[in-house]
Amino acid sequence: MTSWRHQLRRLSLTRVLLLALCFSAISLVVLAYWVSLKPSTSPSYVPPTRLIHEFVCPSDDGVHHVGPTNSHDEETLGNDRTEPRVLVMLESPYTRLGQAIVFILESVRYKHRVQVTSLGNDRRVLPPLTHAEKGRFAVIVFERLELYLSLDSWNRQLLDKYCKDFSAGIIAFAQPDEKLLNAQVKDFPLFIHSKLSLQDYYVSSESSVARVIRTQKAYVGNVPGSSWTVFISNHSTYVPVSHARISYTAAQDAASATDSTAEMPNIIYTPVILDTGAFDGIQRIFFGSGFEFWLHRVLFLDCLSFLSHGQHRQTLDRYILVDVDDVFVGRTGVRLTEGDVMAMIETQDRLQNYVDGFRFNLGFSGKYFHRGSLKENKGDDALIENRDKFWWFGHSYAHTKAHQFTSLHAIIDDMLHNQAFAQLHDIPVNTSYAVAPHHAGVYPVHSDLYKAWQQVWDVKVTSTEEYPHLKPARHRRGFVHHGIMVMPRQTCLLFTHTIFINKFPGGSQRLDHAIYGGELFQTILFNQVSVFMTHMTNYGNDRLALYTFESVLKFINCWTTLQLKTRPPLQLANYYFQLYPDETEPIWHNPCNDRRHLDIWSEKKSCDKLPNFIVIGPQKTGTTALYTFLAMHPSISSSRASAMTFEEVQFFGGDNYLLGLDWYLDHFPPVPQDSSSHHLVFEKSAGYFDSELAPGRIAALLPRVKLICILDDPARRAYSWYQHMRSHDDLTALSYSFFDVINASSHAEKPLKNLRRHCLNPGLYAQHLERWLNVFDISQMHIVDGETLRTDPVIALNSVQKFLAVDPLLDYAQLLRFNPRKGFYCPIRHPNNNNSSSTKCLGSGKGRSYPPIDDKSEALLKSFYHKSNLALSQLLQKLGREVPTWLQTS
Ligand code: A3P
C-alpha cells in the first residue's frame, strides 16, 4: 500500500513536473510572442531611477488661510503720472543681487536706469526724478535697504516727496551685515531679526501683491538662503506679503544664545512685508532676502506690478512652442524607437492638461528617413502613422546648411525634394513655418534661403537663437526680413548630445535646478512667447525632453497663475510682433565679430569687403570730390555704383538697410587676392551725416570703422542744396527764391517746408556730431574743412591719408590741378606723362555756376546758424580738434 501510494506519488510528481515544464515552455512561447507584438514600450528602455521621479505639487493644506487667493487686481489702472521705468539704486555694479535685479528687468524688457551709489559716499545723488512735469520712474529699487535708510536727509526728502507726489513705490532688500535681534529699522515702526534660516514659506493673500505667484501654497522644508531677515511690526501700515517659520536648527542655535528665541520655530514670521503707506503716504515692499530662493524672482515681478499700479506688468499668458528640430536626423543607436514615439504621444496628451492645445512641432529632413536600425526604422514608421497627432515643418532635405549651397537654384532643388518626401508620406506640413539646419542662413541672413523658402513653401515664419547673438539669451530678439517673421528661440538645456541623464553636464541636479525654479522655469516666466529648440535624440534614449517639459510645465501650473498656451507658428509670430512692434526692423551685425556667426556664413562672403572707412557727408560739402580723389589711391577701393543708388550706396540711412547685408556687400568689389593687408575699402553716402538712424546702424555693423565728415560753411551748403534742387527741376525750388525758402514759416505748404528743412537741417553740425559721438569714439572721426578741400585739396587729402594710415602716402600735388575754367581742382588725365596738363573734372553737377547768395539770405542764415556754429566751435575745441577757417570768421 505504502509502495503503491509511493508509486502513485512518484507518478503524479513526474506528471506535475512534466506538466509544469510544458506550461513553462508554452508560457515562454506566448510571452515571447506577446513581447514581439507589444508596441507601446521600448523593450530595451529602462528609465533611470531619477527620471521616474514625478513632480508633485504641494497641496494648499496646512497654510493659514487669511483671504482670497491672488487678489491682485488685473484691472488696476496704470499710473499716468510717471514713465514706465524702474530706477535701480545699486551699491556697486558688481554685486550679485544688483546684477540679478538688472538681469530680471532686462529679461522682462522693463525700461530701467541703474544708478550706482555707495554707502559712505557723500556724493550719493539721485538722478533727475522728473521731466516735463512727469515722473521718470514708477518704482525705485534699492539693492540694499541700508542704502535707502542711509540716504542723506536732502536726498531722502527729495525721494520721499517724489514718491508721494507721483505715487511711485519703493522696493528694498534687507541685507544687514550683522546678526540682529529685534532691531528697529531706522525711522520706521518696524523691527527685524536677521541672519536666519527659514522653512515652510508661503505667499500670503493678505497684501494683494501676489499676482503671478500662487498664494497660500507652502514651500515645505528649508528655504534656500542662510541669511534671511524677518520683519515684525504692530503698526497697521504693515501687511505681510509672505510668511515662514525659522528653521529648527537655526532657532536652536539662537535659543542656546538667548532664551528669548526659544519659541522662534513656532512663530510665523514675515520675510517680505508691504508698507501700505498708512504711515507716511509711501508704499514700500521690503524683502528679507535676495533671489537665492527662486520664488522671490516671481514675487519681485509681482511687487513691480503692484507698486507701479500695473505699469510694469506682463499678461498672464505664456505661449510656448516646442520644436523637435529634426525627427529623422540622428545616427543609428540614438534614434527614436516605436516606444519612444508612443511615449511622445502619451506625454503630449498629458501636457494638453497644462498647455492649451499642446502639440510637438516636428521638423523633418526626408533624406534621413529609414536610416536607422530595424527597430529605429519602426520608430520612423510610427511617426508617419501618427502624423496627424503632431505639427510638422520643413527643414532642408539633406539637412544641409543654407550657406553651403552653391546657388539659389540648389537651395530650391533641395527644398523641393523635401516637399516631395512630405507629399509621398502625406505629412500635414505647416508650410508657413520652416527652420534652417544649425540656424544657417537665418542670421546672419543668407538672402537666398529667404527667397527659396518663399518660393517653395511660402514660408512666413522662422526662428533662431542667433539674433542678435546666442548669448546672453535674455537679449535675443525677433525681426522681419524679406516678409518673413523671425522669432527668437530659447534653449531648454537639451542639445543633440545631451541624451542620457548620467551624462548630463552638471548631473541630474543641474537639470532639476533649471526646471524647478531655475533657468528653464525663468525662461517661461520672463518670456511671453518661448519657442524651444529640442532634438530628436532628446525624445529617445532617456527621453529627457519629455521629462523636462512635463516637469517644468507642471511646476509652473502648480506655483503660478500663468496661463500656458500654444499656437501654430504663424499665429504665434503674429502675436509676438504685436507684443513687440519695435522689433520688426533688424539691426545687422558683423558676422566676423561672432565665431558662431562666422561658422554659418558663406565662405563666398568676406568681411574684408566691408568698408574700413565711410565718408558720411553732409551733402553739398564736397563729398564727391573727396570720394573721387580717394578712389585714385592704389591702396583704396571704393564701393561700386549701383543701378538703384548710383554713386552712393545709401544703406544705413533709409530703407535700403532693410534689404540686408548681402545687398550691401554686393556693392563692394571682390577683395584683390594679392592686395596687402593695408588695402582699404570705403563708401560715401552724404545723407548719413544728418540721419537719425545711421550712427547706430553703422556702429552695430562696423564698430571700429573710421568716419570722415566734411564741414563747410552751413550757409554756403544750404544755398548749394537749393541750387542743386533747381537744376534737378524741383518745382518748389524753381517757384521760390532762396530767401523765400529759408524764410518759410511753419504754416507754409508741405513741399516748401520740406525744402527748407533739407536746406537748413544738415547744417546744424553740432547737434548731428553729438549723435555720432554718442556711439563712436572721437578718435574714429576725422573732420575735413570743406573750404580747404575746395581751395587746397592736397592739404586736406594729406591729413585724410594720415588719419587712415594708408600706405603709400600719395602726393596728390602730382595728381590734381586747378582748372580755371571749372574753378576747382580736378584730377590730371595722364599724371605719369609729365607734359600732360589736361584734367578730367567732376561732372557738371559738382561745382555749378550760379549767382552769389543775396545779402538778405546771407544775413538770415548768419543769425539762423549763429547758436549752432558757436556750439560747434566749442565742441571742436573741447574735442581738441582744429576749428575750420570758415568757422573762425563766422
Ligand atoms: P556746388 O556745385 O554748389 O559748387 P557734394 O559732392 O557733397 O554734393 O558737394 C558738391 C560741392 O562740392 C560743390 O557745390 C562744390 O562747391 C564742392 N566742391 C569741392 N571741391 C570740388 C571739386 N574739386 N570739384 C567740384 N566741386 C567741388
Side-chain angles (χ1 to χ4, degrees), residues 107-108 212 298 301 314-322 355 358 490-492 514-515 517-532 548-557 560 562-565:
S107 301
V108 290
V212 173
V298 193
L301 291 181
Q314 294 177 312
T315 74
L316 291 175
D317 293 334
R318 290 294 178 279
Y319 286 88
I320 66 160
L321 179 69
V322 180
V355 187
F358 184 81
Q490 307 302 333
T491 30
C492 59
I515 293 169
E519 198 177 327
L520 182 58
F521 165 77
Q522 287 169 39
T523 297
I524 299 175
L525 171 70
F526 296 149
N527 290 293
Q528 301 189 69
V529 177
S530 295
V531 180
F532 283 107
T548 301
F549 282 104
E550 186 155 13
S551 305
V552 75
L553 298 177
K554 274 184 177 173
F555 186 79
I556 288 170
N557 204 46
T560 74
L562 295 176
Q563 308 287 309
L564 294 165
K565 296 176 177 175

Side-chain angles (χ1 to χ4, degrees), residues 79 140 216 390 547 558 792:
N79 178 4
I140 296 100
Q216 311 302 124
F390 301 108
Y547 170 73
C558 169
D792 200 344

Side-chain angles (χ1 to χ4, degrees), residues 11 58 61 75 102 193 306 325 418 453 504 514 547 558 635 659 671 718 794 878:
L11 196 75
D61 296 347
E75 302 305 320
V102 174
H193 303 326
F306 181 84
D325 244 17
N418 219 27
W453 265 342
F504 191 85
Y547 170 73
C558 169
S635 301
L659 298 173
V671 182
V794 177
K878 196 176 96 187

Side-chain angles (χ1 to χ4, degrees), residues 618-625 629 684 716 720 789-790 822 824-825 842 845-848 850:
Q619 288 158 326
K620 310 316 291 176
T621 55
T623 56
T624 314
F629 301 159
K684 84 101 177 160
R716 183 189 173 102
S720 171
L789 178 67
R790 237 185 356 262
K822 177 84 176 172
F824 287 92
Y825 276 81
L842 267 56
K846 305 293 167 185
R848 292 191 176 96
Y850 41 78

Side-chain angles (χ1 to χ4, degrees), residues 271 278 349 403 408 431 479 539 546 613 658 662 670 677 690 701-702:
D349 288 347
H403 68 289
L408 170 63
T431 58
F479 66 95
Y539 294 81
L546 299 184
F613 71 95
L658 304 179
D662 287 358
S677 56
D690 53 300
L701 182 68
L702 306 163

Side-chain angles (χ1 to χ4, degrees), residues 147-312:
L147 199 62
Y148 173 57
L149 299 176
S150 67
L151 279 180
D152 62 87
S153 64
W154 192 84
N155 276 306
R156 177 65 181 275
Q157 277 170 23
L158 188 77
L159 182 61
D160 284 359
K161 183 170 176 348
Y162 173 79
C163 289
K164 279 184 223 163
D165 289 354
F166 292 91
S167 299
I170 288 177
I171 296 175
F173 294 83
Q175 307 180 61
D177 294 326
E178 52 192 315
K179 186 159 180 68
L180 300 169
L181 204 64
N182 236 5
Q184 185 170 5
V185 176
K186 191 180 150 207
D187 304 335
F188 294 102
L190 183 67
F191 297 83
I192 56 169
H193 303 326
S194 71
K195 297 234 179 244
L196 298 166
S197 298
L198 299 185
Q199 64 181 18
D200 305 341
Y201 187 109
Y202 70 93
V203 175
S204 155
S205 54
E206 287 157 89
S207 70
S208 305
V209 167
R211 177 171 173 266
V212 173
I213 193 71
R214 278 199 198 278
T215 54
Q216 311 302 124
K217 187 166 283 294
Y219 181 95
V220 180
N222 288 336
V223 184
S226 55
S227 188
W228 283 81
T229 298
V230 290
F231 301 92
I232 306 123
S233 179
N234 287 330
H235 197 288
S236 61
T237 194
Y238 293 108
V239 180
V241 176
S242 64
H243 292 292
R245 284 180 229 274
I246 291 176
S247 76
Y248 276 92
T249 43
Q252 276 156 4
D253 287 351
S256 62
T258 160
D259 279 338
S260 64
T261 51
E263 290 302 309
M264 275 180 137
N266 300 321
I267 302 173
I268 295 177
Y269 285 101
T270 302
V272 180
I273 199 161
L274 165 71
D275 178 347
T276 57
F279 178 59
D280 62 1
I282 301 169
Q283 286 195 324
R284 304 177 185 86
I285 295 175
F286 296 151
F287 276 72
S289 168
F291 298 131
E292 262 174 292
F293 184 26
W294 61 265
L295 187 145
H296 272 195
R297 293 178 186 245
V298 193
L299 195 54
F300 178 62
L301 291 181
D302 285 350
C303 292
L304 286 174
S305 168
F306 181 84
L307 293 175
S308 69
H309 311 280
Q311 278 188 298
H312 292 296

